[in-house]
Amino acid sequence: MTRKNQGLLFGLASYIQWGFLSLFWKLLAGVSAYNTFSWRIVFTVVTMLVYALIANQTTRFKGELVGLWQDKKALLRMLLASFLIAANWLIYIYAVGHGQATQASLGYYIMPIVSILFALVFLRESLSRSMWAAVVLAFIGVLVLVANTGKLPMVSLGLALSFGFYGLIKKGVRLSSDVAMLVESGLLLPFVAIYLVFFSPEAFSSYSSMEMFLLAISGIVTAVPLLCFSEAVKRAPLNLIGFIQYLNPTIQLLVAILIFGETVSFGELKGFLFIWVAILVFVTGQILNLRKSS
């Protein structure tokens, strides 16, 4: 198997895992979103520390952490990124637990387009015609959703904007994915520890055995797909990995409708259609650019 094909398999593995992740969080619907999120942070820190020891990566981790501590601007960026990814995780856990997995899937559909828009506005990058068309169509889709439902799709926009700003803030910070995950969860650990010890209405021992087990493995569930993704981008070009990224929200949408029993109104469907067309235009433009460069 070629290195590129290995990368695509790792990419498929990561996006499929992320797509079915809503099933995992749905099992924890009986635990408050704040507590699920807080224990996720705790066990992610534990998981990454154990991973560093087992994989014999402690020297590399230590070197990257020392470098980050010496670069105060990068450290501040990582702190801001930690709060943004925290908001993203919390919104997603809340959405799945409160019957809004469909809205969550829409958020992941429009994330790449939001990232394109941020690159235009904040990084002054130029956009191709297909990218401009995708941004405009996605914006029209959001307007159609607002017009037909009478409200902004707050979950979708919250997920897309938080992750868009997260990517923007992290641009230029040179940390490997596993170290970045440890740093982000580690920076949040003091805040969630204070919440769990002094403010949480629930103790860990008050959960069922299944809930305690699921919370305990939430760090592994968080880490494994990201590690697969980091291996994917090492082996395959990022533009090829990008073509399969929509597998994640597609699986999420199917799970929301077929398993969770959520429904999509006709008005929402019209907004979704504009966004799906925007994605089609975006992907087609990427394919044409790839052929042209080849």
Side-chain angles (χ1 to χ4, degrees), residues 83-114:
F83 285 113
L84 286 166
I85 200 62
N88 186 271
W89 287 1
L90 192 56
I91 293 168
Y92 183 68
I93 292 169
Y94 174 86
V96 172
H98 289 77
Q100 298 183 58
T102 304
Q103 282 240 353
S105 71
L106 176 62
Y108 284 97
Y109 272 122
I110 62 178
M111 269 183 194
I113 296 174
V114 168

Side-chain angles (χ1 to χ4, degrees), residues 144-145 148-149 264-272:
V144 170
L145 280 171
N148 284 276
T149 63
V264 179
S265 68
F266 182 66
E268 289 175 318
L269 185 60
K270 286 192 287 186
F272 272 41

Side-chain angles (χ1 to χ4, degrees), residues 206-249:
S206 65
Y207 304 132
S208 68
S209 299
M210 177 57 74
E211 288 171 336
M212 284 191 285
F213 171 73
L214 292 173
L215 288 171
I217 65 170
S218 62
I220 298 173
V221 169
T222 299
V224 170
L226 184 71
L227 293 174
C228 285
F229 181 78
S230 66
E231 291 301 314
V233 296
K234 287 177 187 175
R235 290 169 167 80
L238 193 58
N239 50 19
L240 290 180
I241 297 298
F243 289 145
I244 59 173
Q245 67 185 309
Y246 292 108
L247 189 61
N248 169 16

Side-chain angles (χ1 to χ4, degrees), residues 57-288:
Q57 297 292 317
T58 51
T59 302
R60 179 173 63 83
F61 271 51
K62 191 180 296 184
E64 291 194 37
L65 291 172
V66 169
L68 179 65
W69 180 255
Q70 292 172 346
D71 188 345
K72 299 305 180 186
K73 286 186 178 179
L75 184 61
L76 178 59
R77 280 176 172 267
M78 287 303 297
L79 181 61
L80 292 173
S82 299
F83 285 113
L84 286 166
I85 200 62
N88 186 271
W89 287 1
L90 192 56
I91 293 168
Y92 183 68
I93 292 169
Y94 174 86
V96 172
H98 289 77
Q100 298 183 58
T102 304
Q103 282 240 353
S105 71
L106 176 62
Y108 284 97
Y109 272 122
I110 62 178
M111 269 183 194
I113 296 174
V114 168
S115 296
I116 292 169
L117 186 60
F118 282 2
L120 171 69
V121 174
F122 297 105
L123 304 178
R124 305 299 183 188
E125 294 182 7
S126 59
L127 300 187
S128 64
R129 290 181 180 179
S130 61
M131 287 183 176
W132 269 114
V135 169
V136 171
L137 285 167
F139 182 69
I140 292 172
V142 172
L143 291 180
V144 170
L145 280 171
V146 173
N148 284 276
T149 63
K151 57 185 179 182
L152 278 170
M154 296 304 295
V155 166
S156 305
L157 293 176
L159 286 170
L161 291 173
S162 60
F163 199 81
F165 278 116
Y166 168 76
L168 187 67
I169 291 295
K170 281 190 68 176
K171 193 172 182 65
V173 177
R174 295 183 177 181
L175 285 179
S176 53
S177 298
D178 45 9
V179 176
M181 178 174 284
L182 176 61
V183 170
E184 288 163 5
S185 52
L187 289 171
L188 293 169
L189 186 60
F191 300 98
V192 301
I194 291 171
Y195 167 75
L196 289 171
V197 172
F198 297 106
F199 299 102
S200 172
E202 309 163 358
F204 190 76
S205 58
S206 65
Y207 304 132
S208 68
S209 299
M210 177 57 74
E211 288 171 336
M212 284 191 285
F213 171 73
L214 292 173
L215 288 171
I217 65 170
S218 62
I220 298 173
V221 169
T222 299
V224 170
L226 184 71
L227 293 174
C228 285
F229 181 78
S230 66
E231 291 301 314
V233 296
K234 287 177 187 175
R235 290 169 167 80
L238 193 58
N239 50 19
L240 290 180
I241 297 298
F243 289 145
I244 59 173
Q245 67 185 309
Y246 292 108
L247 189 61
N248 169 16
T250 301
I251 294 173
Q252 287 187 40
L253 183 61
L254 292 173
V255 167
I257 294 172
L258 300 178
I259 299 178
F260 298 161
E262 295 185 17
T263 58
V264 179
S265 68
F266 182 66
E268 289 175 318
L269 185 60
K270 286 192 287 186
F272 272 41
L273 284 173
F274 273 99
I275 290 165
W276 287 329
V277 172
I279 292 163
L280 180 62
V281 169
F282 169 68
V283 172
T284 302
Q286 292 291 91
I287 293 172
L288 292 175

